[in-house]
Structures are given as C-alpha cells and as structure tokens.
Amino acid sequence: MCSCSTTAVKAKTTDLASGETSIAAVHPDIIQSNILNRLDGQTLASTTCASTQLHSLCKEDNLWRDICNSTWPSTTDRRVNDAISDFPSGHRSFYSQTFPTLHPRPQKSHQHRPPPETTELISAVDIYYDEKLLYTKVMVTETLSGWFLCSPFSLDLLEPKETVAAPVNFDGEEGTCCALLEQHMRVSWILIDPKQKLAVNVASIAPVETQRHWLTEDIHLRFATVMPTSGGDLVQCGVVITCGGKEGGELQVREVTLQVEDMDEKILNGSDSLGILHDAMDGERRKSNRDVERESYQHFLKMKLQYRERKQRRESSLDMMCIATGVAIFLAASFLILLR
C-alpha cells in the first residue's frame, strides 16, 4: 500500500520544528500520540515508506484499530474484533483487505473447486446517509449445514418488521427522493472468514443501479460487485437496499439483502457462493470510483442480455427440432396406416 505520495509526509517528518530537527530526534511516543493518530488509513499506509523508524511505528495495531473503528463502527463488536486479532497483522491486515475496491481477476482454471473449509461467515454492516451513520449490525452465518450449502445464498440484515429511518422525505414518482438516495446513501458490507483469516467488502462505493417499483413505489438501491466464476461466467454480488414510506413522510429503509446472482438471474446456493466469495477474498484490490463500478455493472448487464439471447435461440432450436420430430412421426404413422 506504499505510494509516491509519501513525499509530503516525509518532508513534514524530517523538518518538524524549524526545518532542522530530524524525525529520529523526536520521541516515538510523541510521533504516535500527536502525528500518526491523526492520519487516515491511506496516509498512514503511505507513511510507512518514509523511513525505517516510521515503518516500525506505523505497524502498531492500536493505530489501525482506531482507524478501522472510525471507518467501520461495526468493527467495535467483540466478535469482529476477536476475528481480526487472528489476522497475520491484526487490524492492519484487515484494513488492507477491506478498504480497497475489489478487482476480481479471471479464473485460470475452469474446474469446479470445492467450497473452502470454513465454519462461519461474519457480516459487519454499516449504512450511512450523507456520511452520517444510520445503522450498524454484525451477523454470524454458519456455513456447514446442508441447508446453507444447498439453499439460495441470501442474507437479510433487518428483522421482518424492523425499519431504519433516513433523514429524507419520501415523495412521489416525480420527486427527488431517488436522486438524493443515489447521491448520499452508502453501505459497507464486510464478509469475514475467521478460520481462513480473510475479509472482503462486497458492496460498491455507490449504487450501480437505482430503480423505483411501478406499483409500490419502493426504491431499490443496488450496491454490486461483479465477479468471475470458475466456469468463466460472471456473477454479481449485490447488496440491495429497499426504501419506502408514505408520501410526504419520513423515508424508511425496509430491507437490506445480500445475494449472489448469476447471468440467468438465479440466486446461487451457499456452496457455490462460498467458493466465489472466497476467491474474491483471496483476489486483488485496487482503488475505484463510481464510473468504474457502473461501467463494470453495465458490462455485466450486457453479458447477461447476450446470454439470455443465446439461451432463447437454443430453446427455439430445440422447439423446432421437437416440432419437426413430431411431424415426422405423425407422417410416418399416417403412411403406415395407409399401407394397411
């Protein structure tokens, strides 16, 4: 996570007082309590490249714990904290795995891989509106039972009658509610595998799609990451937030669901989803933005449309073959009857 952007940090640390004091002359406790603890994660990671001393000081887990807790309030949960403590470099490893946007690489092998040996997945979820925390929750999902492995992979964050109030009024079809949500609402859904010591944030930075239901007028925001499969196809791992309410009243978040969906619009089962998510956890990371995420999702929709068209052509060909076979059998039978 080192970067050339450390130049400014290095300049500051080498001339702290009057342009003559070296960073080596400053007590480490002062550096940690007055400088490093004021940096965000990206800057702290870059600072490790400035000097050997700073590299050692920036590895302190308490610095990264504070950054993780301020970035994702759900990481203050004991279950999440216990899982992170087993990571190779603690909170620093966790941050490096979950902060960057996923950059899934194509699979080198098209052979089906068995699901990883994991006993549970921890979901650490935080929902924001205009950078203010609306809701935070930690869930634990067991992954060993036959029910999980064979059933559609779908994680529901809220209880059946639970809602979350958002600081925006719900309006009609011609209102600005959709635009406000698309611009200001953000979600982080981090999946943690405690046994494998891996984690990944599967939600996109911003909604890649916003739709309004024609009948209920509910608003659906999709935060999706497109991932490759071992078979060479694409799937989307999407967090869908459903919002609704009475016109003129306060908008309510009614559903928050995580699903893995293939190009046939089928929700994958737990076994297949676990394998795909594990490949993503073990995959590359990169910085991204809204445009890149939307472009990736639009490419997925284009591929899905092409897949659907090929499927329809195959089904049409099969229908024609069945009709032709039926006609041939009918004519043959009629001919035999005439011969008698």
Side-chain angles (χ1 to χ4, degrees):
M1 295 180 65
C2 295
S3 167
C4 294
S5 64
T6 58
T7 305
V9 176
K10 189 173 182 180
K12 290 181 180 179
T13 55
T14 53
D15 293 323
L16 287 176
S18 61
E20 298 177 357
T21 304
S22 170
I23 186 66
V26 182
H27 196 279
D29 290 344
I30 296 177
I31 298 175
Q32 284 191 335
S33 60
N34 291 279
I35 300 176
L36 299 183
N37 64 346
R38 301 174 185 270
L39 304 180
D40 60 25
Q42 296 182 79
T43 307
L44 183 62
S46 298
T47 305
T48 61
C49 302
S51 70
T52 303
Q53 182 188 15
L54 286 176
H55 183 272
S56 177
L57 293 175
C58 290
K59 292 169 63 177
E60 290 294 325
D61 190 66
N62 63 313
L63 292 172
W64 292 101
R65 183 187 63 242
D66 292 344
I67 288 175
C68 288
N69 291 348
S70 62
T71 306
W72 306 289
S74 57
T75 58
T76 60
D77 186 278
R78 178 187 55 81
R79 294 165 293 181
V80 176
N81 196 58
D82 289 346
I84 295 175
S85 64
D86 291 332
F87 278 47
S89 298
H91 286 81
R92 185 162 63 97
S93 294
F94 178 81
Y95 184 90
S96 68
Q97 293 182 29
T98 54
F99 182 80
T101 303
L102 271 174
H103 182 201
R105 57 176 178 262
Q107 303 293 331
K108 295 181 180 179
S109 173
H110 285 186
Q111 296 181 351
H112 176 72
R113 299 200 308 173
E117 294 182 359
T118 183
T119 58
E120 63 183 19
L121 283 178
I122 300 176
S123 295
V125 189
D126 300 288
I127 302 176
Y128 298 85
Y129 184 86
D130 199 18
E131 299 307 321
K132 295 180 181 179
L133 184 66
L134 289 183
Y135 188 82
T136 181
K137 185 176 181 179
V138 172
M139 302 188 305
V140 179
T141 306
E142 64 84 21
T143 60
L144 293 178
S145 67
W147 179 88
F148 172 84
L149 296 173
C150 299
S151 300
F153 180 81
S154 182
L155 303 182
D156 296 317
L157 184 67
L158 303 181
E159 298 297 328
K161 294 185 178 181
E162 185 180 9
T163 60
V164 180
V168 59
N169 288 334
F170 185 77
D171 51 33
E173 186 176 355
E174 303 299 327
T176 60
C177 187
C178 282
L180 289 173
L181 289 174
E182 187 172 351
Q183 182 178 359
H184 296 292
M185 184 158 281
R186 181 169 64 87
V187 62
S188 168
W189 192 308
I190 298 175
L191 289 174
I192 306 169
D193 184 343
K195 187 172 183 179
Q196 303 295 329
K197 301 177 179 60
L198 293 171
V200 66
N201 193 340
V202 295
S204 55
I205 297 174
V208 296
E209 183 180 66
T210 304
Q211 293 183 338
R212 195 161 202 159
H213 195 277
W214 66 274
L215 181 59
T216 64
E217 293 192 351
D218 284 349
I219 301 170
H220 303 278
L221 302 170
R222 183 177 297 274
F223 299 78
T225 300
V226 178
M227 305 176 182
T229 69
S230 58
D233 294 326
L234 296 175
V235 299
Q236 62 150 324
C237 183
V239 179
V240 179
I241 298 181
T242 302
C243 304
K246 296 181 179 180
E247 187 167 350
E250 190 176 48
L251 183 137
Q252 301 285 333
V253 177
R254 294 175 173 174
E255 293 180 6
V256 184
T257 305
L258 171 65
Q259 296 175 335
V260 180
E261 183 182 295
D262 64 12
M263 292 193 294
D264 203 23
E265 298 184 346
K266 181 181 70 174
I267 300 174
L268 301 186
N269 61 31
S271 176
D272 293 337
S273 298
L274 201 57
I276 292 170
L277 291 171
H278 221 269
D279 286 337
M281 290 181 181
D282 199 30
E284 299 175 0
R285 307 290 197 274
R286 69 173 180 183
K287 292 182 179 179
S288 187
N289 54 54
R290 296 179 180 224
D291 294 335
V292 172
E293 290 175 339
R294 284 184 176 272
E295 182 180 349
S296 176
Y297 184 70
Q298 290 302 318
H299 174 69
F300 171 77
L301 294 180
K302 181 180 178 181
M303 297 296 292
K304 185 167 71 170
L305 179 61
Q306 294 176 355
Y307 173 84
R308 189 180 304 165
E309 290 174 347
R310 290 196 302 268
K311 183 179 179 181
Q312 290 176 347
R313 286 196 295 269
R314 287 196 301 267
E315 291 176 349
S316 297
S317 299
L318 289 174
D319 290 341
M320 292 300 297
M321 289 178 61
C322 290
I323 292 173
T325 302
V327 171
I329 293 174
F330 174 77
L331 292 176
S334 299
F335 180 72
L336 291 175
I337 292 174
L338 290 175
L339 290 178
R340 291 179 183 177

